[in-house]
Amino acid sequence: MSGTIICYGDSNTYGYDPRSFAGGRYGKNIRWTGILEEGTDWNVKNHGVNGRCIPHISSQIRFACEQAENWGEEEGPVWMAVMLGTNDLLQEPGFTARDAAMRMESFMRKLDGTEAVKRGNLRLWLLSPPCMKRGAWVKEERLCRESEKLGQEYRKAAERLGIKFTDTGKWEIPVLFDGVHFSEEGHRKFADRILEAVRRF
């Protein structure tokens, strides 16, 4: 099978490299999305945005749904792989994995109601993000614990929605000094595991 995979995520999908002073980006051949495309016949589109949280404001959700409708016009099948939640935990004091899952379920339910999904050409794939580690951006152990819980909470949401789910939090993806962003090895390891999942489509 082949088609299009829309990778809708945050800086770890974008390929942010925090080692450069201004905050650069890994090359396409290093980013997991680029490795995925090289390893399959799928057309892989990187729609990662640095700092992106789960869309929860009406304008954000409306724009995402409009994008989904457009992606649904691609020659199918089209999978929209959504991997978000890390920034929600980092940016909102006291935010929990359950809070993130509730926000994600609400967002995915809106996507599930789009005409593109109803027609069957756009298929939803929810991924819980890899776990954070203690580092320059992750000062609280609480953040690590909550990120470890995202998988179980997202799985429940995916089951209620009846959509495909992958728990990448179990993959032990190597991150850099900030405790959040994938190392080059992390991108390779993530790509290898995603490739396994895609080949089972």
Side-chain angles (χ1 to χ4, degrees), residues 44-195:
V44 178
K45 297 192 175 183
N46 187 323
H47 285 272
V49 173
N50 291 336
R52 177 184 274 154
C53 292
I54 302 163
H56 57 283
I57 298 170
S58 58
S59 58
Q60 296 172 341
I61 294 171
R62 184 170 59 253
F63 180 63
C65 288
E66 289 171 355
Q67 287 183 300
E69 295 287 13
N70 290 332
W71 294 328
E73 297 299 323
E74 302 268 355
E75 185 175 349
V78 181
W79 285 92
M80 182 176 175
V82 179
M83 186 172 73
L84 293 167
T86 300
N87 287 311
D88 301 76
L89 295 177
L90 286 170
Q91 296 178 21
E92 303 212 28
F95 213 67
T96 67
R98 183 165 295 179
D99 293 330
M102 290 174 61
R103 180 176 283 182
M104 180 62 82
E105 183 171 353
S106 177
F107 173 54
M108 298 300 285
R109 197 173 295 280
K110 293 291 187 182
L111 291 174
D112 197 43
T114 61
E115 290 301 317
V117 173
K118 291 177 180 178
R119 288 196 308 272
N121 199 45
L122 183 70
R123 307 171 187 186
L124 302 179
W125 181 12
L126 176 59
L127 299 90
S128 59
C131 300
M132 291 184 274
K133 307 293 183 185
R134 290 293 289 269
W137 285 27
V138 187
K139 303 292 189 180
E140 301 175 62
E141 183 62 30
R142 184 193 71 83
L143 289 170
C144 298
R145 291 197 305 269
E146 292 302 324
S147 73
E148 290 168 2
K149 296 176 185 176
L150 282 175
Q152 64 189 43
E153 296 295 339
Y154 278 24
R155 183 181 298 279
K156 296 173 190 174
E159 288 174 352
R160 285 191 290 268
L161 291 165
I163 61 175
K164 182 176 177 62
F165 170 72
T166 300
D167 184 357
T168 79
K170 296 180 177 179
W171 293 354
E172 294 292 330
I173 300 300
V175 295
L176 292 172
F177 62 90
D178 58 16
V180 175
H181 293 103
F182 299 174
S183 64
E184 293 188 24
E185 179 190 357
H187 275 275
R188 288 193 296 272
K189 184 173 181 179
F190 192 90
D192 287 344
R193 298 301 300 270
I194 286 290
L195 274 167

